[in-house]
DNA sequence: CGTGCCCTTGAGTACAATCAACGTTCGTGG
DNA sequence: CCACGAACGTTGATTGTACTCAAGGGCACG
């Protein structure tokens, strides 16, 4: 759970009572294998999930089989706290790697909204941050060319992983394949491959075998026109 | 304000006290002209806005001048309640037509989170619904071909306007031009024009002079692969 | 040592962008 | 009242980014 509080504390001060309330709210820990669908669209929900380690994603599919990942969940994130108010999701949630999660019953979140208004606002902020990430991806998918979209994506994941100490000197682990990367970027696997080669040749970045190596972050940010404002980093007023 | 409560009541029961609290929270009514930027990205916020009539949008821009509209706000919607927790936005908010709005100070929303937990959950639901719409647009922008994207868009607006009685027999008013439609769909104006012609020729729909006329809704839904599940229509558990 | 998964490459295609011009409508001012 | 300009819509020609189809290569694992 520490990774969750670490992420929270990067933006907000939490009282001991608030932190204790959340710690005491976990009803169960689980481990999921790679490529496991944890929640299916439409299914009735009575708990939400905190991702402790690994990578999960939100998936939406077309009948044609084409699939879009609409957001990546990283260690420390709620994967589905929006399910607390929505009660069923409009998308699947699945793992991209083996994952460890903590489950929190919705009754506890209900109690939270009644007894811990500040904590409620903190988590409301969290879902609004998710929406901000969705919007940035809409901009990428709608308007950025493939290479900028990809560069922007790697910048975002860099910054978000850095929040929880998962960035090392020259890069980070991202255990997904090129097809899944394409599902994030709205590109076919073949085109992902060719675009990756462009980024490699430009000397910005390498991505292979689930490992991102960044050679030139400023250049990468320039290519992706990356501005982290939408991630609301650092202490927030609230 | 009635249009706002009408939309709320389509999904939730509101107590008289809750409704009164919101009515009493409006500090000001305003009228904006067409094409007015009401909120700029990054600007510090101390109120949120309910759209009473007209059409507004959330805009994100690239340096190149390309622009993406990430969501449309319709009469009855909060345009920026996410600003309550975020305190500044990652996008501009502007009008697509002349608009009438009601402003609610953030102090009142703060009080709401402390005294009206159920109302808080209702509005939290609202921002989660916004995120669901963002996700559906990500799917459109990333994976649907232009014509399906456009058909899907017109279906969504149809359903959302219908909620507040703004759909007439054969269609609805949508006072935007082809360039703005392209900014919603991630298409250039020229391509929007050609795609519209395809929809016209197929007999599904006509869009001209700010008016959408639907000739064959089932066909339109088929073209856009539209399933309204993501709009969480009808009474919600919460 | 296959077999399957993933990555890579090549050739051809297509959807959508770009560039450029022209038409229509409408409001405004001479 | 007509001329003009601006905004918007339409069309044609051309280009290019990204997709499709197809095949081959590397590597891990049973």
């Amino acid at each position: 759970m520490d990774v969750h509080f670490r992420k929270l504390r990067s933006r907000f001060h939490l009282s001991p009572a608030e932190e204790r309330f959340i710690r005491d709210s976990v009803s169960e820990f689980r481990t999921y294998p790679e490529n496991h669908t944890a929640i299916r669209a439409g299914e009735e929900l009575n708990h939400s999930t905190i991702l402790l380690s690994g990578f999960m994603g939100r998936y939406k599919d077309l009948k044609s089989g084409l699939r879009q990942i609409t957001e990546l969940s990283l260690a420390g994130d709620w994967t589905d706290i929006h399910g607390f108010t929505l009660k069923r999701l409009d998308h699947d949630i699945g793992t991209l790697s083996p994952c460890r999660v903590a489950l929190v019953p919705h009754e506890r979140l209900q109690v939270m909204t009644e007894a811990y208004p500040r904590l409620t606002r903190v988590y409301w902020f969290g879902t609004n941050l998710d929406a901000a990430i969705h919007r940035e991806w809409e901009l990428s998918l709608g308007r950025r060319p493939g290479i900028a979209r990809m560069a922007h994506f790697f910048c975002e994941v860099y910054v978000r992983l850095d929040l929880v100490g998962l960035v090392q000197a020259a890069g980070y682990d991202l255990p997904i394949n090129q097809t899944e990367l394409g599902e994030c970027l709205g590109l076919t696997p073949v085109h992902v491959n060719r675009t990756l080669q462009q980024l490699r040749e430009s000397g910005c970045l390498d991505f292979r075998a689930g490992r991102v190596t960044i050679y030139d972050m400023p250049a990468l940010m320039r290519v992706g026109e990356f501005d982290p404002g939408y991630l609301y980093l650092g202490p927030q007023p609230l």
Side-chain angles (χ1 to χ4, degrees), chain A:
Chain A
M1 288 292 287
D2 290 331
V3 65
H4 178 64
F5 291 108
R6 181 177 196 165
K7 188 168 287 193
L8 285 181
R9 279 192 293 256
S10 79
R11 297 192 174 94
F12 306 105
H13 173 262
L14 281 194
S15 75
E18 287 166 337
E19 179 164 336
R20 193 167 346 100
F21 176 80
I22 295 302
R23 287 194 189 270
D24 293 349
S25 294
V26 173
S27 65
E28 189 183 344
F29 292 94
R30 279 194 199 166
T31 303
Y32 294 136
E34 178 185 346
N35 235 301
H36 168 77
T37 299
I39 299 178
R40 262 180 217 294
E43 182 179 315
E44 198 180 316
L45 302 176
N46 48 40
H47 67 260
S48 285
T49 311
I50 299 173
L51 180 56
L52 304 179
S53 70
F55 293 79
M56 298 181 77
R58 305 181 182 178
Y59 295 91
K60 288 180 79 96
D61 299 273
L62 295 180
K63 283 184 207 133
S64 66
L66 283 176
R67 149 180 293 199
Q68 180 69 38
I69 297 180
T70 62
E71 189 174 344
L72 238 42
S73 298
L74 311 184
D77 293 333
W78 285 101
T79 63
D80 57 353
I81 194 176
H82 50 307
F84 167 55
T85 59
L86 295 177
K87 294 301 173 206
R88 61 183 174 80
L89 297 184
D90 51 293
H91 56 85
D92 293 344
I93 292 191
T95 62
L96 291 155
S97 69
C99 289
R100 182 102 184 123
V101 302
L103 303 190
V104 175
H106 283 174
E107 304 95 69
R108 287 292 287 184
L109 295 175
Q110 177 99 2
V111 169
M112 175 186 78
T113 62
E114 268 141 29
Y116 293 87
R118 220 192 77 94
L119 200 50
T120 303
R121 293 195 298 271
V122 165
Y123 285 148
W124 191 356
F125 173 97
T127 62
N128 287 334
L129 175 57
D130 277 347
I133 293 173
H134 287 327
R135 283 190 290 272
E136 191 68 28
W137 285 35
E138 286 182 74
L139 177 61
S140 271
L141 292 165
R143 293 307 196 183
R144 283 196 250 257
I147 189 163
R149 222 181 284 177
M150 187 175 283
H152 191 280
F153 173 85
F154 285 122
C155 289
E156 174 184 311
V157 176
Y158 178 95
V159 168
R160 290 176 60 198
L161 284 177
D162 197 28
L163 273 184
V164 285
L166 289 176
V167 167
Q168 300 86 34
Y172 53 87
D173 290 320
L174 185 68
I176 68 177
N177 62 34
Q178 295 186 359
T179 301
E180 291 162 331
L181 180 55
E183 287 168 350
C184 292
L185 301 176
L187 299 174
T188 57
V190 171
H191 198 64
V192 165
N193 184 283
R194 289 175 171 139
T195 308
L196 272 173
Q197 290 177 43
Q198 280 186 267
L199 281 180
R200 275 192 209 116
E201 278 153 30
S202 76
C204 290
L205 160 146
D206 194 15
F207 172 63
R208 58 177 69 233
R211 173 84 194 170
V212 177
T213 309
I214 294 176
Y215 297 119
D216 188 344
M217 191 68 184
L220 191 67
M221 290 173 65
R222 235 175 296 121
V223 173
E225 219 172 283
F226 180 77
D227 171 350
Y230 74 99
L231 294 173
Y232 296 84
L233 302 171
Q236 296 296 316
L238 199 65

